[in-house]
Amino acid sequence: MSQQLMKRVFLYVVGLFMLSFGVSLSIYANFGVSPVSSLAYGLSLITGVSVGATTIFTHIIYIIIQMIILKRFDMKYALTQLVIAFVFGFFVNATISISTLLLPVAGTIVLQCVYLALSLLLVACGLFIYTNAQYTLMPYDELTQVISTSYKMPFGKAKIIGDVSNVIIAIVLCLTFLKTMGSIGIGTIVAAVSIGKILGIVAKKFQPQMDLFLKREELI
């Protein structure tokens, strides 16, 4: 394995882990999770199955929807995303366990806000790092890209459609089975509004260093 490839794999794994930790902290904050995780966490609350398992399940659904939109089945494309979904689901369960073991329970609003803020930062940083690895995106992000390309709409608009759909389905399921909003809360709105902005700040500050890191082998 070349040094360049090792760097990209390293970035991808670190980015996914940070993303998963961000998801776990948003759950731990108990303010409502981000739109991306709302359906998976809602299903976890309804079924009692681990968040990691429901994350894998929802990502399989996202892969199926991609195939329906594209009207073709690419085995390699689907399997690659499926592997990524399993790795991410494993990371989510692992980071939830780490949070439960090491972090104080969010018993006050102040601590909830701290966990929520850390969650937003970790998700934004995780997105920045894992997308810079330039490998296959996670199924949810790939679905957004497919919607954008297939229906000739800006990526941002496609993401809004995906996020809103995810949240609406999560709300309907949670109200139907739990009689509460379940995975949706003020944290969901904060995440929807702020993660993109935080990501923009992180990218502006650290993209030159990231480019240098990835091209360092070429400069030697």
Side-chain angles (χ1 to χ4, degrees):
M1 183 183 292
S2 70
Q3 186 179 353
Q4 187 73 4
L5 183 57
M6 288 176 64
K7 288 178 181 179
R8 291 174 61 199
V9 170
F10 172 76
L11 288 175
Y12 199 89
V13 173
V14 169
L16 285 185
F17 186 81
M18 291 181 71
L19 266 173
S20 67
F21 219 141
V23 170
S24 299
L25 282 180
S26 70
I27 293 172
Y28 212 57
N30 199 29
F31 265 150
V33 297
S34 67
V36 175
S37 307
S38 58
L39 180 56
Y41 186 47
L43 288 173
S44 176
L45 292 174
I46 292 167
T47 63
V49 176
S50 72
V51 182
T54 55
T55 295
I56 294 169
F57 174 73
T58 54
H59 280 202
I60 291 173
I61 293 175
Y62 302 145
I63 293 171
I64 293 172
I65 295 174
Q66 289 177 53
M67 301 304 168
I68 293 172
I69 293 174
L70 293 171
K71 297 178 181 178
R72 69 174 186 270
F73 180 75
D74 186 325
M75 179 65 75
K76 182 179 179 181
Y77 177 71
L79 286 178
T80 301
Q81 289 188 66
L82 188 60
V83 170
I84 295 168
F86 270 90
V87 171
F88 186 67
F90 172 79
F91 280 168
V92 169
N93 277 346
T95 51
I96 286 176
S97 297
I98 291 171
S99 300
T100 304
L101 288 172
L102 301 180
L103 298 178
V105 175
T108 65
I109 292 180
V110 172
L111 200 52
Q112 284 181 285
C113 290
V114 169
Y115 288 154
L116 177 60
L118 287 173
S119 165
L120 299 175
L121 181 61
L122 281 171
V123 168
C125 290
L127 282 170
F128 171 70
I129 292 172
Y130 115 91
T131 53
N132 265 282
Q134 297 181 337
Y135 280 132
T136 303
L137 300 175
M138 286 195 297
Y140 185 84
D141 297 322
E142 283 286 352
L143 175 58
T144 304
Q145 186 64 59
V146 166
I147 292 172
S148 174
T149 303
S150 299
Y151 298 105
K152 296 179 174 58
M153 66 175 67
F155 184 85
K157 183 177 180 180
K159 179 161 178 55
I160 290 172
I161 291 173
D163 287 351
V164 171
S165 300
N166 233 28
V167 169
I168 290 175
I169 294 170
I171 289 174
V172 171
L173 289 174
C174 287
L175 287 177
T176 300
F177 293 99
L178 302 175
K179 311 304 180 185
T180 70
M181 295 288 280
S183 59
I184 310 301
I186 186 64
T188 308
I189 299 172
V190 172
V193 171
S194 61
I195 287 177
K197 294 179 179 178
I198 298 172
L199 177 58
I201 294 171
V202 171
K204 184 177 180 180
K205 185 172 181 61
F206 294 106
Q207 191 63 57
Q209 292 90 327
M210 178 64 75
D211 292 339
L212 183 62
F213 173 75
L214 287 171
K215 294 178 181 178
R216 188 168 297 161
E217 185 182 59
E218 300 171 11
L219 298 175
I220 295 175

